[in-house]
Amino acid sequence: MSIWIVLKLIGSLALLMFGMKTTSDSLQRIAGSQLRHALGAMSTNRFTAMLTGIFVTAAVQSSTATTLMTVSFVNAGLLSLLLAIAVIMGAHIGTTVTAWVMCLGFSTDTLAFVYPAFLLGIILIYQKKHRLVGDLLFGIAILFLGLATLRSTGQEIVTLDTEGAIKAFFQQFQDNSFWNSFIFLALGTVLTLCVQSSAAIMALTMTLCATGVLHIEQGIMLVLGENIGTTITTNIVAMRATTQARRAAFAHLSINVVGVVWVLILLRPFFSAVCSVVGFQPDMPASAPDYSIKSAVVLATFHTAFNVCNTMLQILFVPQIERFVCWMIKPHEQEEKEDTRLHFITSGLMKTPELSLLEAQKEIRLFAERTQYMFSMVQELLEETDKEKFAKLFSRIEEYEDLSDNMEIEIAKYLNNVSNGHLSDDTKAKIRAMLREISELESIGDACYNIARTLNRRAHGKEDFTDEQYSHIHQMMGLADEALSQMNIILSGRKEKQDLHRSFNLEDEIDNYRNQLRIQNVNDVNEHKYTYSIGTMYMDIVSECEQMGDYILNVVEARMNTRQYSA
């Protein structure tokens, strides 16, 4: 077999994979937030969650996308582990649609459709209004072009293999021994893991079986191996996620491993039943007129029957599977205590802009909550009289200031990476709003730290605030804290508790109170109620609280302008 045929085989697989990815990404962009809402609204019990997994996977043509989406929801705390397991089971059924699409490509002349689809797709891409539909058509056309090229390459391999060397190589593994079966099972797993696409390996398996190079039973073992290989991707991606997300990914692997084990035990009757349904004889010669079509149908039918039966059996044991994965996957030590890393944004976990924004949104909520906690420490610092405790608390506030800076940088970096993709105008607006939110939240953290530094100077000086000044500072801080609480309610998306007018009114109250205290401070200094130095520190705290009110309102306004992406 010449190097040209090898390159053509690899190239057609690459073309197929690119077409699958383009098609899946286009479908996800067209569906947009509806996929997210479907997962949240339909997943009310294990059976509806399973149906949701089937629906979403069939819609986006990618079980990996659905599984990663589900793991991300668990990572963000939006989906329970039990329901996530059921969704993943449904995704196993939904992904069988892809195998039938491959089967269609092997049984019909798809080139007649491909080139008109390219023409129509490129026209729609240049029309901004229909760009996503054009991307979808282009992806489907590339997918079927890859399948057609793969099929013709398989036929060239058979033609060039005049001495039957390739077929003879595979025939030495044709005996139904344990080791021969294990070799092809492992081969399917490794190839899927390397290529990161079970659809591509399924297409390759169909090609080899359709041309008679590979026996149908060897192809069946490759299909089973693909079912295990596709689960490893999710586990690798989830390694840096939360414990619950890692458990969901491990459940994905466990379900398919258990399924492969039981089907291997019952392989002979199970395979015979599939062949009888299709009307295929395992000993049928590859030269038979309808061998290529029927072999592809057998593989697709086996893939569907296996996943449907496996899901129907294991859906009854979801609670037991949940307990098992919880027992297997223990929390990391750092998750048992508070840490300063990002909790919801994990490298590589998100595959589409819509889902990436979901993680960023959850991280921004955590950022806002940490900012309010930082302000509560500042309020506590105001009252602390013990020097040692004061020093520890001030050091803690300094740590939170560094955390605030780091969170802004990391979230902004993540959003900038998302913005490099093919985005709609609506998604671009959401990203701009989020970038504004994190900038303002970091400014709130700066204001908290500035107040703490002022209090630190006061603690190391010889003067203290008067009782009246303490009263005014408490009142100003109380207004700022209430504004922070209102901001966090709005960021949480709990619309029934949102009072946008209250946020604007609080900002007006803070401004008016600052103006009142500024005038009073000048009079008090002139009347020698306290020194100019202590009056300056006093007004620094008041001014920082007023600045904080402005930053808080900016966050609220940014969120108000993009309320459609609130959870």
Side-chain angles (χ1 to χ4, degrees), residues 14-28:
L15 199 64
L16 173 67
M17 290 168 60
F18 181 72
M20 285 295 299
K21 186 179 185 306
T22 304
T23 302
S24 178
D25 289 349
S26 300
L27 286 167
Q28 290 176 66

Side-chain angles (χ1 to χ4, degrees), residues 472-473 475-477 479 506-522 538-550:
H472 293 157
I473 292 173
Q475 188 170 346
M476 177 62 88
M477 285 186 171
L479 289 171
L506 280 169
E507 205 275 332
D508 288 338
E509 285 185 53
I510 292 172
D511 285 349
N512 294 334
Y513 195 49
R514 187 276 313 268
N515 295 336
Q516 176 188 332
L517 294 181
R518 178 187 288 170
I519 295 171
Q520 186 176 346
N521 178 65
V522 174
Y538 165 64
M539 284 310 301
D540 283 346
I541 294 173
V542 170
S543 296
E544 288 295 343
C545 288
E546 188 276 330
Q547 284 290 318
M548 192 183 301
D550 292 338

Side-chain angles (χ1 to χ4, degrees), residues 419-477:
S419 67
N420 291 331
H422 186 182
L423 308 177
S424 65
D425 292 338
D426 182 53
T427 302
K428 290 177 183 177
K430 294 175 185 178
I431 291 176
R432 286 194 297 270
M434 285 182 165
L435 289 171
R436 183 185 178 194
E437 287 173 17
I438 60 173
S439 175
E440 299 297 338
L441 286 171
E442 194 277 332
S443 296
I444 295 172
D446 287 343
C448 291
Y449 181 55
N450 290 337
I451 295 173
R453 289 170 57 193
T454 302
L455 292 175
N456 191 44
R457 290 202 312 272
R458 185 266 305 169
H460 287 84
K462 296 180 179 179
E463 297 180 274
D464 197 2
F465 299 132
T466 65
D467 290 341
E468 186 178 15
Q469 284 178 316
Y470 270 114
S471 176
H472 293 157
I473 292 173
H474 281 304
Q475 188 170 346
M476 177 62 88
M477 285 186 171

Side-chain angles (χ1 to χ4, degrees), residues 167 170 184 204-220 222 291:
K167 189 180 295 186
F170 283 108
F184 281 91
L204 180 61
T205 304
M206 284 184 173
T207 301
L208 295 176
C209 288
T211 53
V213 172
L214 194 67
H215 191 269
I216 191 67
E217 294 188 10
Q218 295 171 332
I220 291 296
L222 284 177
Y291 180 86

